[in-house]
Short mmCIF file of all heavy atoms in Angstrom, two decimals:
data_model
loop_
_atom_site.label_atom_id
_atom_site.label_comp_id
_atom_site.label_asym_id
_atom_site.label_seq_id
_atom_site.Cartn_x
_atom_site.Cartn_y
_atom_site.Cartn_z
N SER A 77 141.90 124.98 95.04
CA SER A 77 142.10 124.55 96.43
C SER A 77 141.06 123.49 96.74
O SER A 77 140.11 123.28 95.96
CB SER A 77 141.92 125.74 97.39
OG SER A 77 140.57 126.17 97.39
N GLY A 78 141.23 122.86 97.90
CA GLY A 78 140.22 121.90 98.33
C GLY A 78 138.86 122.57 98.47
O GLY A 78 137.83 122.02 98.07
N MET A 79 138.84 123.77 99.05
CA MET A 79 137.56 124.45 99.22
C MET A 79 136.94 124.82 97.88
O MET A 79 135.71 124.86 97.74
CB MET A 79 137.71 125.70 100.11
CG MET A 79 137.79 125.39 101.59
SD MET A 79 136.60 124.16 102.20
CE MET A 79 135.03 124.94 101.84
N TYR A 103 135.54 119.25 108.47
CA TYR A 103 136.47 120.38 108.36
C TYR A 103 135.64 121.66 108.43
O TYR A 103 134.62 121.78 107.77
CB TYR A 103 137.24 120.29 107.05
CG TYR A 103 138.06 121.51 106.75
CD1 TYR A 103 139.00 121.97 107.67
CD2 TYR A 103 137.89 122.22 105.57
CE1 TYR A 103 139.75 123.11 107.41
CE2 TYR A 103 138.64 123.35 105.30
CZ TYR A 103 139.57 123.79 106.23
OH TYR A 103 140.30 124.92 105.97
N GLU A 143 132.44 113.02 105.37
CA GLU A 143 133.89 113.26 105.48
C GLU A 143 134.41 112.16 106.38
O GLU A 143 134.12 112.15 107.58
CB GLU A 143 134.15 114.64 106.07
CG GLU A 143 135.63 114.99 106.15
CD GLU A 143 135.85 116.37 106.77
OE1 GLU A 143 135.39 117.37 106.20
OE2 GLU A 143 136.47 116.43 107.85
N ASN A 147 137.88 115.37 110.01
CA ASN A 147 138.96 116.25 110.46
C ASN A 147 138.38 117.29 111.41
O ASN A 147 137.52 118.05 110.97
CB ASN A 147 139.60 116.92 109.25
CG ASN A 147 140.52 118.07 109.64
OD1 ASN A 147 141.07 118.07 110.73
ND2 ASN A 147 140.67 119.03 108.76
N ASP A 172 134.30 113.50 101.20
CA ASP A 172 135.57 114.21 101.28
C ASP A 172 136.65 113.17 101.59
O ASP A 172 136.67 112.59 102.68
CB ASP A 172 135.51 115.30 102.35
CG ASP A 172 136.77 116.17 102.37
OD1 ASP A 172 137.87 115.61 102.19
OD2 ASP A 172 136.65 117.39 102.58
N THR A 174 139.96 113.65 101.59
CA THR A 174 141.24 114.33 101.79
C THR A 174 142.18 113.54 102.68
O THR A 174 143.35 113.34 102.35
CB THR A 174 141.00 115.71 102.44
OG1 THR A 174 140.15 116.48 101.58
CG2 THR A 174 142.30 116.45 102.66
N SER A 194 140.93 117.82 99.10
CA SER A 194 141.99 118.82 99.05
C SER A 194 143.26 118.08 98.65
O SER A 194 143.70 117.16 99.34
CB SER A 194 142.18 119.45 100.43
OG SER A 194 143.38 120.19 100.43
N THR A 196 145.97 119.63 98.66
CA THR A 196 146.96 120.40 99.40
C THR A 196 147.67 119.53 100.44
O THR A 196 148.80 119.81 100.83
CB THR A 196 146.22 121.54 100.15
OG1 THR A 196 145.35 122.21 99.23
CG2 THR A 196 147.16 122.52 100.78
N LYS A 197 146.98 118.47 100.87
CA LYS A 197 147.45 117.67 102.01
C LYS A 197 148.33 116.51 101.52
O LYS A 197 149.24 116.73 100.74
CB LYS A 197 146.25 117.18 102.82
CG LYS A 197 145.15 118.22 102.99
CD LYS A 197 145.54 119.31 103.95
CE LYS A 197 144.46 120.38 103.97
NZ LYS A 197 144.86 121.57 104.67
N LEU A 207 145.55 122.83 96.16
CA LEU A 207 144.88 122.21 95.02
C LEU A 207 143.65 121.46 95.53
O LEU A 207 143.59 121.08 96.70
CB LEU A 207 145.83 121.19 94.37
CG LEU A 207 145.36 120.66 93.02
CD1 LEU A 207 145.98 121.49 91.89
CD2 LEU A 207 145.74 119.20 92.81
N PHE A 325 147.83 119.24 107.18
CA PHE A 325 148.34 117.91 107.52
C PHE A 325 148.73 117.18 106.23
O PHE A 325 148.46 117.66 105.13
CB PHE A 325 147.30 117.10 108.32
CG PHE A 325 145.95 116.97 107.63
CD1 PHE A 325 145.70 115.96 106.72
CD2 PHE A 325 144.93 117.86 107.91
CE1 PHE A 325 144.46 115.84 106.09
CE2 PHE A 325 143.68 117.75 107.28
CZ PHE A 325 143.45 116.74 106.37
N1 PLP B 401 138.59 119.04 103.30
C1 PLP B 401 139.29 118.73 104.39
C2 PLP B 401 138.96 117.47 105.12
C3 PLP B 401 140.31 119.57 104.85
O1 PLP B 401 140.99 119.23 105.95
C4 PLP B 401 140.60 120.76 104.14
C5 PLP B 401 141.66 121.67 104.59
O2 PLP B 401 142.20 121.53 105.68
C6 PLP B 401 139.84 121.06 103.01
C7 PLP B 401 138.85 120.17 102.60
C8 PLP B 401 140.08 122.32 102.23
O3 PLP B 401 141.27 122.23 101.52
P1 PLP B 401 142.13 123.49 101.06
O4 PLP B 401 142.81 124.03 102.28
O5 PLP B 401 143.05 122.92 100.04
O6 PLP B 401 141.17 124.48 100.49
#
Side-chain angles (χ1 to χ4, degrees):
S77 67
M79 282 316 299
Y103 171 56
E143 183 181 298
N147 167 27
D172 186 321
T174 301
S194 168
T196 311
K197 320 287 174 191
L207 191 94
F325 56 86

